[in-house]
Amino acid sequence: MGEGHNFKQLRNAILALSQASDWEVARKEWSLVDISEADEPDICLCGHFPIIEICTIANRVTRHRAEIGNRCVKRFLGLRSDLIFAAIKRIRKDITKSLNADAVVFFNERGLLTPWEYNFLQDTLARRVLSPAQSATRENINRKVLSAVSRRGFQGPD
Ligand SMILES: [Zn+2]
């Protein structure tokens, strides 16, 4: 453990939870359904420890779920969870910043945003200068997102 990401171990674990037996097909059965930042370091299916940026993936065919690290999600499944984590880092550093399109779509799909908030975020995505009321709204949404990704906070629908 500790020295990187064991692709073979990850692949075997994912294949065991997939319907397809061919890796290239099997990996397409999976989607990203949740992300969180662990309070306690976790272990990836590849054996890598520690992981903090946890991605929950679900298989659309078998309905199995698995938790793997952000790095493996991107590298081996080709899902861009890294872009969502990048947005989270940005707003944590500066609460006045905006999320990015990947994060807005993801959190909307997860049921975290109201339709109004979803529209608001789209309208203000690239805007650096906001009215005081708009700034307050953006910051409130950002805080909601940050608390949602902390390990115990996220209660999105399945
Ligand atoms: Zn991994």
Side-chain angles (χ1 to χ4, degrees):
M1 271 195 299
E3 61 256 6
H5 302 264
N6 185 334
F7 174 54
K8 211 172 147 200
Q9 185 177 329
L10 177 82
R11 190 182 56 188
N12 289 342
I14 294 288
L15 279 174
L17 299 170
S18 304
Q19 182 162 328
S21 50
D22 176 79
W23 169 250
E24 288 303 321
V25 178
R27 69 192 193 116
K28 306 283 187 201
E29 295 175 359
W30 293 83
S31 346
L32 181 67
V33 296
D34 199 358
I35 65 167
S36 59
E37 293 179 321
D39 291 337
E40 305 274 321
D42 214 333
I43 183 166
C44 184
L45 277 185
C46 74
H48 182 76
F49 178 89
I51 53 168
I52 298 291
E53 296 175 335
I54 315 285
C55 297
T56 305
I57 55 171
N59 187 297
R60 291 185 301 276
V61 183
T62 64
R63 304 273 161 203
H64 283 300
R65 286 178 169 231
E67 292 194 340
I68 70 178
N70 185 26
R71 196 99 50 94
C72 276
V73 165
K74 183 189 173 203
R75 219 163 129 200
F76 302 124
L77 293 172
L79 303 172
R80 297 304 307 270
S81 54
D82 59 315
L83 297 174
I84 303 168
F85 280 107
I88 290 164
K89 283 198 189 96
R90 189 168 65 217
I91 64 170
R92 175 169 295 125
K93 211 171 143 202
D94 181 349
I95 198 74
T96 69
K97 298 275 195 208
S98 71
L99 293 165
N100 58 27
D102 292 83
V104 170
V105 169
F106 180 77
F107 288 114
N108 185 56
E109 281 174 357
R110 299 307 300 148
L112 187 70
L113 305 174
T114 66
W116 187 88
E117 288 171 333
Y118 186 49
N119 281 329
F120 171 84
L121 290 176
Q122 290 174 71
D123 288 345
T124 56
L125 205 54
R127 296 254 292 276
R128 293 221 182 124
V129 182
L130 300 179
S131 73
Q134 288 173 324
S135 298
T137 301
R138 180 190 274 177
E139 288 171 32
N140 282 337
I141 298 172
N142 284 349
R143 279 190 204 96
K144 180 161 79 166
V145 166
L146 288 178
S147 80
V149 297
S150 69
R151 193 58 161 160
R152 298 184 205 106
F154 200 9
Q155 299 295 328
D158 285 335

